[in-house]
């Protein structure tokens, strides 16, 4: 009788281990877990014109495989599991060439196109419907602790080989050009190119067309060359004027003597 009264006063003590396991299983199979996976699957048909049928996407897209494995690893990581999340991340890297730390937060509808060489750090945050190409690094700049990786907004496009480093904020709908190295915060609706990354445009909804991205270094070199040509032309004019002045000076002295 005393045990029954204690169980009524403390209902938490009456919870069975099986019920706790069932709750974890329900959370795993709930819409909160499956909805991002469905978004990850559907977004591929919108972003990749080469996706022709669901069999190709399910079996032949390493970006989707890496995201699915990461969601499982992240789910375990948030529940305090210490070894298996890293093991799943390591297996995902071995199978897909994409390394995502279990601690990284990946939004729904994220598409990693091709994906070979993509690295996403532990404290990185990737917003919804972000498009990441191969060779992208969302990493840190040193051995600092705490939040040391970038936060990527929603609907961002990160071009092939781009590096976004440090605890910086990348706004929504930002376009990062291929091969860029971004080290500072980027406002929303911007296009960033170059090393280090520079904002070259702030137009909302502007597509990332790599064939039309300006070459910042080339434009600087062209301006320097044009300036050098102007200075050389001015120097040549000064030389001609000096020669004329030296030719005219003897005649003036002769006339003065007469």
């Amino acid at each position: 009788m005393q045990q029954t009264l204690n169980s009524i006063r403390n209902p938490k003590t009456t919870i069975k281990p099986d019920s706790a396991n069932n709750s974890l299983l329900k959370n795993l199979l709930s819409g909160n877990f499956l909805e991002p996976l469905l978004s990850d699957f559907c977004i591929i048909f919108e972003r990749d014109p080469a996706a022709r049928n669901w069999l190709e996407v399910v079996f032949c897209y390493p970006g989707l495989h890496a995201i699915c494995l990461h969601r499982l690893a992240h789910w375990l990581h948030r529940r305090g599991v210490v070894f298996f999340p890293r093991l799943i991340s390591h297996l995902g890297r071995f199978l897909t060439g994409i390394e995502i730390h279990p601690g990284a937060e990946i939004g729904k509808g994220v598409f990693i196109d091709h994906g070979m060489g993509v690295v996403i750090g532990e404290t990185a945050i990737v917003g919804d419907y972000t498009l990441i190409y191969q060779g992208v690094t969302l990493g840190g700049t040193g051995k600092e602790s705490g939040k040391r990786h970038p936060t990527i907004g929603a609907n961002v496009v990160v071009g092939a080989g781009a590096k976004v480093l440090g605890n910086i904020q990348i706004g929504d709908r930002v376009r990062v050009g291929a091969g860029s190295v971004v080290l500072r915060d980027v406002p929303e609706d911007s296009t960033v190119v170059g090393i280090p990354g520079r904002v070259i445009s702030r137009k909302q909804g502007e597509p990332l067309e790599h064939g039309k991205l300006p070459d910042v270094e080339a434009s600087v070199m062209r301006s320097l060359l044009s300036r050098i040509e102007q200075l050389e032309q001015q120097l040549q004019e000064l030389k001609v004027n000096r020669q004329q002045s030296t030719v005219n000076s003897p005649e003036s002295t002769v006339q003065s003597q007469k």
Side-chain angles (χ1 to χ4, degrees):
M1 185 66 180
Q2 184 66 28
Q3 183 179 2
T4 316
L5 292 175
N6 290 335
S7 63
I8 294 174
R9 292 173 184 173
N10 301 316
K12 293 183 179 180
T13 60
T14 62
I15 298 176
K16 298 180 180 180
D18 293 340
S19 62
N21 294 332
N22 291 334
S23 63
L24 290 177
L25 184 61
K26 289 180 180 179
N27 291 331
L28 182 62
L29 298 178
S30 64
N32 294 331
F33 187 83
L34 294 179
E35 181 183 358
L37 293 178
L38 184 60
S39 300
D40 299 336
F41 175 77
C42 295
I43 198 64
I44 295 176
F45 293 97
E46 300 179 13
R47 295 290 180 87
D48 190 1
R52 295 179 176 84
N53 57 73
W54 67 271
L55 282 175
E56 289 184 1
V57 173
V58 170
F59 292 101
C60 304
Y61 273 69
L64 179 63
H65 303 158
I67 290 292
C68 292
L69 291 173
H70 168 73
R71 296 205 184 281
L72 177 58
H74 183 69
W75 185 84
L76 295 172
H77 176 80
R78 294 192 62 181
R79 281 152 183 81
V81 182
V82 294
F83 172 72
F84 288 102
R86 291 303 301 267
L87 178 62
I88 294 172
S89 175
H90 183 70
L91 291 176
R93 179 182 180 227
F94 176 77
L95 295 173
T96 65
I98 301 170
E99 181 176 354
I100 309 176
H101 193 281
E105 299 181 14
I106 308 295
K108 65 180 181 180
V110 174
F111 177 33
I112 302 179
D113 196 1
H114 298 289
M116 180 61 68
V118 170
V119 178
I120 301 178
E122 178 184 8
T123 60
I125 300 174
V126 181
D128 298 339
Y129 303 107
T130 293
L131 174 59
I132 300 175
Y133 287 95
Q134 67 273 13
V136 168
T137 299
L138 306 181
T141 57
K143 299 297 183 180
E144 66 274 10
S145 59
K147 183 71 170 72
R148 59 191 183 276
H149 299 107
T151 298
I152 309 297
N155 296 288
V156 174
V157 179
V158 187
K163 315 298 178 186
V164 185
L165 307 177
N167 182 18
I168 59 177
Q169 301 285 332
I170 307 298
D172 297 341
R173 299 173 298 279
V174 167
R175 305 293 186 259
V176 181
S180 302
V181 179
V182 183
L183 302 173
R184 297 182 180 86
D185 294 346
V186 180
E188 297 180 354
D189 303 308
S190 301
T191 300
V192 183
V193 298
I195 304 176
R198 301 178 181 87
V199 177
I200 60 169
S201 176
R202 293 186 179 180
K203 295 181 180 179
Q204 185 175 1
E206 183 179 11
L208 180 61
E209 299 181 4
H210 286 99
K212 297 181 180 179
L213 289 178
D215 191 341
V216 179
E217 287 75 12
S219 61
V220 172
M221 292 297 295
R222 282 194 294 268
S223 63
L224 289 175
L225 289 175
S226 62
R227 180 58 179 167
I228 291 174
E229 291 177 357
Q230 292 177 0
L231 293 175
E232 288 180 348
Q233 185 177 0
Q234 293 177 3
L235 182 61
Q236 187 66 26
E237 292 177 355
L238 289 174
K239 288 182 179 180
V240 171
N241 293 332
R242 178 174 294 180
Q243 289 177 357
Q244 291 179 354
S245 62
T246 54
V247 170
N248 296 330
S249 59
E251 296 179 356
S252 58
T253 53
V254 171
Q255 291 178 359
S256 62
Q257 289 177 358
K258 290 180 179 180

